[in-house]
Amino acid sequence: MNNNGPQRRMSDMGRPVEKANNSWATIKRLITYWSSSKWKLVLVMICSTAEVGLQLLAPLLIGKSIDECINLAYQEGGSVDFEKLQGTLILLTLVYIGSALCSWIQEYLMAVASLNIVRTIREEMIDKLHTLSIRFYDTKLRGETMSHFTNDVELIRDALGRTVIQLISSAFTLIGTAILMLSLSIEMTIMVCITIPLVILLSKFVMKRTRKYFSEQQQALGNLNGMIEENIVGMKVIKSFGQEEKQTEKFETLNKKLQEAGSSAQIYSGILMPLMRVLDNTSYIIVTIAGSILASRGSITVGIIQSFLLYSKNFQRPVNQIATQFNSVQSAIAGAERIFKLLDEKPEVTDKENAEILENVVGRVVFNDVTFGYEEGKPIVKNISFTAEPGEVIAIVGGTGAGKSTLINLLTRFYDINGGSITIDGKEISNLTQHSLRSALGIVLQEPFLFSETIKFNIGYGKSDASEEEIRQAAETANAYHFTIRLADGFDTVLREQGEDISHGQRQLLTIARAVLVNAPILILDEATSNIDTRTEILIQNAISNLTEGKTCFIIAHRLSTIKNADKILVMENGRIVESGKHEELIQRGGAYHKIYSSQFA
């Protein structure tokens, strides 16, 4: 629609990646989403406490059984009480079953809670996209925006569903294990804790370096998605110009950036687990040696050594889990920051607090000294003034880049003007609600857009309560009825993406039918007859004649044959109106319009 607006910044693909600015702020903001699932979190805490308690009970039972067997068999010369041992084994089995059940309940509750949270985040994102101004879509890669809904959200879901459980369980395990170890032997507890400072320092070292790389990885993935989406949409153009090899090279460059960012992140994060295993085994050896020395002195029993060996694993495991969760935590924080950046985007065009609702529209449109530029200090249209009386057909012509489509962007208030005023029935459009303003406008764009839905849905898109009869009448008025009923399922035919299974002209007729059904008092036709054959152009012209009757109409046209009967023709050059009048009048002047007309019909 916009020939003069900001183009998609392909340079965005290569821009420097922003580092995570404030991880704690991001984490705190994520925590606020737990309010709707707080009772699930409470149940998770209870189950986690029960699971940890049962897990800590097992080493005690094992150690006690070993001591009893040794005492009976060797010290007292008695035999092993197998019934008692059997009872202990049954109790151990119940402990492990109970622990597994608590673990399953935790995972189920967290899965439900995390899915609810990411659903809420997705809903907030789609709401935000519907409130953002058109400039956002003119300057952002679609694939990058789509990656927020897929990759970034999934990272958050994984972190909330798995990492939170492990962090909670690890915290309880650490506390419980420490208490039980201290109750058994202070000396042995100190031996177990020797490697803890090394684990903390190592984790801090890795976390500091992986944060940057995980953020860079997510950014590179968004850029790659953007290019893939662009290639799929523009495949005909790529093939037509034989640019497959060039696009492949470009893809390989972006893919390599993703590989490099991912490799850097994984190299640093991958170092952590092997080193943790070394420290874990070192702690195990220390406990074994220290326990043997203390047992030889009679300070502790063999059963206590066995319990400590199990507790040392229990103690090291949560420490290791917390350290190794930095991978998913850093990825989730990077994804959340990107999502929150989208959610914090401010729309440029907003309704005022006391915005009026545009009602009972007559259709008098006045541009008064309007000036606008997409970039500050670079005006695209300058000092535009004209009046469209109710029921008039205003045609806007001029070369590419003259500012024609920009006028439409301003009338629809996709962009706010920099100077001057635009009024409808004497009311400035900046004082109106956007919804009521656009409800008064019927728009047919140069590039017809159809949804992957039925033809009935596409025609009735602007009027959800339209009856089947109204849809059929709109199709007849727009000359779209006859080709529609020849399709396999008629009005119930489901179109492919953007209506690619029907011709360009047929798609345009359907969008005209959509505008007919809305029956707005002000109509905008943005080069609706471009890029089609002569026969279809006649059908569209007839449909437009039916559509414009009794409405204030703005027509942007390159084919001047379509606007000969316009009430007023505005000729634009370099963002200014250089001529204004009827067709015959402008031809007689021999000015800019005459030159354009002669170039087409010479």
Side-chain angles (χ1 to χ4, degrees):
M1 176 179 179
N2 173 22
N3 295 328
N4 307 302
Q7 301 299 312
R8 285 184 186 147
R9 297 195 302 262
M10 295 306 295
S11 59
D12 282 1
M13 288 184 170
R15 66 178 182 268
V17 178
E18 296 180 356
K19 295 182 181 179
N21 292 320
N22 195 333
S23 296
W24 284 114
T26 303
I27 292 170
K28 288 177 183 176
R29 188 166 175 180
L30 275 174
I31 290 172
T32 61
Y33 286 93
W34 280 106
S35 58
S36 61
S37 303
K38 57 186 176 182
W39 292 115
K40 290 185 179 69
L41 190 58
V42 170
L43 287 174
V44 167
M45 294 282 194
I46 294 171
C47 289
S48 182
T49 305
E51 180 194 7
V52 170
L54 291 170
Q55 286 179 349
L56 295 177
L57 179 60
L60 277 178
L61 292 173
I62 293 170
K64 184 179 179 182
S65 299
I66 290 172
D67 281 343
E68 286 178 352
C69 290
I70 290 173
N71 289 334
L72 287 170
Y74 298 104
Q75 293 180 13
E76 299 175 6
S79 60
V80 176
D81 187 347
F82 285 102
E83 286 188 7
K84 190 173 184 180
L85 184 61
Q86 184 181 11
T88 303
L89 292 174
I90 291 172
L91 183 58
L92 267 173
T93 303
L94 292 175
V95 165
Y96 287 129
I97 290 173
S99 175
L101 181 62
C102 290
S103 177
W104 178 81
I105 293 172
Q106 285 180 81
E107 291 185 9
Y108 172 76
L109 291 174
M110 288 301 297
V112 172
S114 63
L115 287 171
N116 287 339
I117 288 171
V118 297
R119 182 195 65 192
T120 301
I121 291 174
R122 282 196 178 105
E123 288 172 353
E124 288 183 5
M125 284 196 291
I126 199 68
D127 287 343
K128 172 59 69 173
L129 289 181
H130 288 150
T131 61
L132 290 174
S133 304
I134 293 297
R135 187 187 295 274
F136 175 85
Y137 300 98
D138 283 343
T139 57
K140 296 291 183 181
L141 289 167
R142 283 179 288 182
E144 185 178 352
T145 303
M146 288 165 58
S147 72
H148 297 325
F149 286 85
T150 52
N151 302 319
D152 293 339
V153 167
E154 285 304 304
L155 288 172
I156 293 174
R157 183 184 66 81
D158 288 341
L160 293 176
R162 298 174 186 173
T163 307
V164 170
I165 290 178
Q166 290 195 354
L167 291 176
I168 292 172
S169 178
S170 298
F172 287 155
T173 301
L174 278 173
I175 295 169
T177 304
I179 292 171
L180 285 173
M181 286 195 303
L182 286 169
S183 68
L184 292 174
S185 172
I186 295 175
E187 295 91 339
M188 292 286 285
T189 303
I190 294 172
M191 295 297 105
V192 172
C193 294
I194 285 176
T195 58
I196 298 300
L198 292 174
V199 172
I200 294 172
L201 291 173
L202 181 63
S203 301
K204 187 176 181 181
F205 172 82
V206 173
M207 182 179 179
K208 184 177 180 181
R209 282 154 181 79
T210 55
R211 182 184 303 164
K212 170 190 173 184
Y213 294 120
F214 275 113
S215 179
E216 187 173 330
Q217 177 180 291
Q218 287 305 108
Q219 184 67 51
L221 186 58
N223 291 337
L224 190 68
N225 284 339
M227 187 194 174
I228 292 171
E229 191 268 346
E230 194 171 59
N231 272 249
I232 292 171
V233 173
M235 190 55 70
K236 288 182 180 178
V237 176
I238 293 170
K239 287 185 175 293
S240 298
F241 287 89
Q243 294 296 304
E244 295 93 337
E245 186 175 341
K246 185 176 180 181
Q247 290 300 113
T248 300
E249 290 175 358
K250 192 173 184 180
F251 175 85
E252 288 173 353
T253 300
L254 291 176
N255 201 26
K256 187 176 180 181
K257 287 183 179 179
L258 176 59
Q259 178 198 7
E260 290 171 352
S263 296
S264 299
Q266 295 304 323
I267 285 170
Y268 272 101
S269 61
I271 289 173
L272 196 58
M273 195 60 191
L275 291 177
M276 289 298 175
R277 288 199 188 102
V278 171
L279 294 175
D280 192 6
N281 292 327
T282 302
S283 175
Y284 202 77
I285 293 168
I286 292 171
V287 169
T288 304
I289 295 171
S292 301
I293 295 171
L294 291 173
S296 66
R297 295 176 182 174
S299 300
I300 59 174
T301 65
V302 175
I304 291 177
I305 295 174
Q306 179 60 40
S307 295
F308 254 94
L309 288 172
L310 293 172
Y311 280 135
S312 69
K313 286 289 185 184
N314 274 348
F315 196 71
Q316 293 293 334
R317 188 180 70 247
V319 174
N320 294 347
Q321 284 177 343
I322 291 172
T324 53
Q325 285 306 312
F326 287 151
N327 286 4
S328 58
V329 169
Q330 292 303 317
S331 295
I333 290 174
E337 282 189 343
R338 282 157 51 84
I339 288 173
F340 293 150
K341 185 178 179 181
L342 170 65
L343 293 177
D344 292 338
E345 286 276 355
K346 301 295 183 185
E348 292 188 1
V349 179
T350 57
D351 291 341
K352 295 181 178 179
E353 288 186 11
N354 57 346
E356 299 180 59
I357 296 176
L358 184 61
E359 296 178 311
N360 304 318
V361 179
V362 177
R364 188 172 192 268
V365 180
V366 178
F367 276 64
N368 181 28
D369 199 28
V370 171
T371 298
F372 171 77
Y374 293 103
E375 297 180 32
E376 190 175 350
K378 297 180 180 179
I380 299 296
V381 294
K382 310 154 196 171
N383 311 113
I384 298 294
S385 297
F386 67 87
T387 300
E389 298 294 344
E392 278 192 338
V393 176
I394 306 296
I396 306 172
V397 301
T400 300
K404 307 182 298 298
S405 292
T406 299
L407 291 187
I408 302 306
N409 280 338
L410 299 179
L411 178 58
T412 53
R413 210 182 161 214
F414 289 152
Y415 290 85
D416 274 334
I417 59 177
N418 300 139
S421 67
I422 302 174
T423 62
I424 296 178
D425 297 346
K427 298 178 180 179
E428 279 202 38
I429 63 172
S430 60
N431 295 328
L432 304 173
T433 64
Q434 295 176 70
H435 179 73
S436 65
L437 167 65
R438 290 166 192 159
S439 295
L441 305 174
I443 304 175
V444 179
L445 301 174
Q446 177 182 0
E447 291 297 328
F449 180 85
L450 298 174
F451 295 92
S452 301
E453 292 277 359
T454 63
I455 289 179
K456 183 194 304 181
F457 174 89
N458 277 285
I459 294 176
Y461 185 73
K463 188 179 179 183
S464 56
D465 59 345
S467 66
E468 290 195 19
E469 183 57 31
E470 287 177 311
I471 290 172
R472 289 179 183 274
Q473 287 179 358
E476 288 182 1
T477 303
N479 290 325
Y481 181 80
H482 295 293
F483 85 80
T484 299
I485 59 174
R486 289 198 299 269
L487 297 174
D489 297 315
F491 283 87
D492 292 318
T493 300
V494 177
L495 300 175
R496 293 208 316 265
E497 186 178 5
Q498 298 185 23
E500 290 183 354
D501 41 354
I502 58 177
S503 71
H504 189 284
Q506 289 171 332
R507 295 200 295 270
Q508 194 64 283
L509 289 172
L510 291 178
T511 60
I512 292 173
R514 182 191 294 163
V516 168
L517 187 62
V518 171
N519 195 31
I522 301 172
L523 183 64
I524 297 170
L525 303 172
D526 188 0
E527 302 188 42
T529 60
S530 63
N531 305 321
I532 54 175
D533 61 87
T534 305
R535 181 176 178 279
T536 306
E537 181 183 355
I538 294 171
L539 290 175
I540 291 178
Q541 284 181 350
N542 292 335
I544 289 174
S545 297
N546 297 331
L547 180 60
T548 59
E549 189 174 349
K551 304 182 192 313
T552 305
C553 185
F554 295 87
I555 301 176
I556 295 177
H558 277 137
R559 297 188 183 185
L560 302 190
S561 59
T562 62
I563 55 157
K564 283 184 178 180
N565 298 323
D567 297 298
K568 188 183 297 180
I569 299 172
L570 306 178
V571 185
M572 295 191 68
E573 285 184 359
N574 298 321
R576 298 181 184 275
I577 296 175
V578 294
E579 285 185 336
S580 174
K582 288 182 174 289
H583 172 75
E584 293 80 5
E585 178 184 339
L586 294 175
I587 289 292
Q588 290 175 4
R589 288 185 193 173
Y593 181 80
H594 181 267
K595 290 179 182 177
I596 298 172
Y597 188 82
S598 298
S599 67
Q600 289 190 18
F601 298 99

